[in-house]
Amino acid sequence: MNGLTTIHFDKGKMKEARERKGFSLTEAATLLGLSKQQLWTYENESGRGTPSPDTLARACVLYEIEISDLTAHEQAA
């Protein structure tokens, strides 16, 4: 299948969005309804897990960004 695009959650972009808005990890986690540890796992390459669609939506509202700002696109060969 040529020309397909795969969308991946980009952990680094989640952290960048939080930092741009000036939220600490603890503040953002509280506002997103997550534990500090859970948000850390979503922001760091060594962390496991991917946020649920609901969590991604809440993050977009909190950080005033679009879902595409938290994803990386890869073109399939």
Side-chain angles (χ1 to χ4, degrees), residues 15-63:
K15 184 176 182 179
E16 289 172 10
R18 174 180 59 78
E19 290 175 341
R20 268 195 309 273
K21 292 302 286 184
F23 291 112
S24 71
L25 187 66
T26 302
E27 290 171 323
T30 299
L31 292 168
L32 292 170
L34 303 171
S35 70
K36 180 177 150 181
Q37 293 79 12
Q38 189 63 55
L39 182 55
W40 183 90
T41 65
Y42 296 155
E43 290 186 353
N44 291 280
E45 293 303 320
S46 60
R48 294 186 179 157
T50 301
S52 69
D54 184 56
T55 297
L56 284 173
R58 288 194 316 265
C60 287
V61 170
L62 180 63
Y63 302 148

Side-chain angles (χ1 to χ4, degrees), residues 1-14:
M1 299 184 150
N2 199 2
L4 295 178
T5 300
T6 303
I7 299 172
H8 296 281
F9 171 68
D10 187 316
K11 291 176 177 275
K13 290 182 179 182
M14 182 86 151

